[in-house]
Amino acid sequence: AFRDQMYTPPWSVAWYVDQARRHRVDGVVHLVSADSRSSWFTTHALRGEGIPVFEIHADNSDARSLDPDDLRRQVGEWITRETITR
């Protein structure tokens, strides 16, 4: 089913890379949760295609482990360093 294709390598990885290329993205902000083992493959494939990836290691439903201001700063620095200057 669709869920399998979205989260099971290599189907998911090929789809993410295709969509990034198709939409000409400059970089990907990737939410990585502890329960998703396929995240490494997605990040690896995107980077392998030359697409910068910023990983956010967090829980999808519990924001207490993140400082919103710090996250904004980190993402802003990443955008400047990895997408604007290349």
Side-chain angles (χ1 to χ4, degrees):
F2 186 69
R3 185 185 190 302
D4 291 336
Q5 292 182 355
M6 289 296 299
Y7 299 107
T8 305
W11 302 315
S12 60
V13 173
W15 184 81
Y16 286 122
V17 169
D18 173 71
Q19 292 300 298
R21 288 284 177 223
R22 182 178 300 211
H23 298 286
R24 300 173 54 203
V25 301
D26 295 316
V28 172
V29 176
H30 185 196
L31 177 61
V32 177
S33 59
D35 63 345
S36 176
R37 295 179 298 182
S38 65
S39 297
W40 179 89
F41 295 98
T42 302
T43 296
H44 182 73
L46 289 165
R47 287 181 176 157
E49 292 293 319
I51 300 167
V53 178
F54 180 86
E55 289 187 335
I56 299 173
H57 294 267
D59 186 316
N60 286 341
S61 60
D62 186 356
R64 292 177 294 177
S65 66
L66 289 176
D67 175 352
D69 293 329
D70 186 49
L71 182 58
R72 280 187 207 92
R73 179 190 57 74
Q74 289 180 42
V75 171
E77 289 173 357
W78 172 79
I79 288 171
T80 300
R81 181 180 64 251
E82 297 292 331
T83 66
I84 294 174
T85 58
R86 54 179 214 139

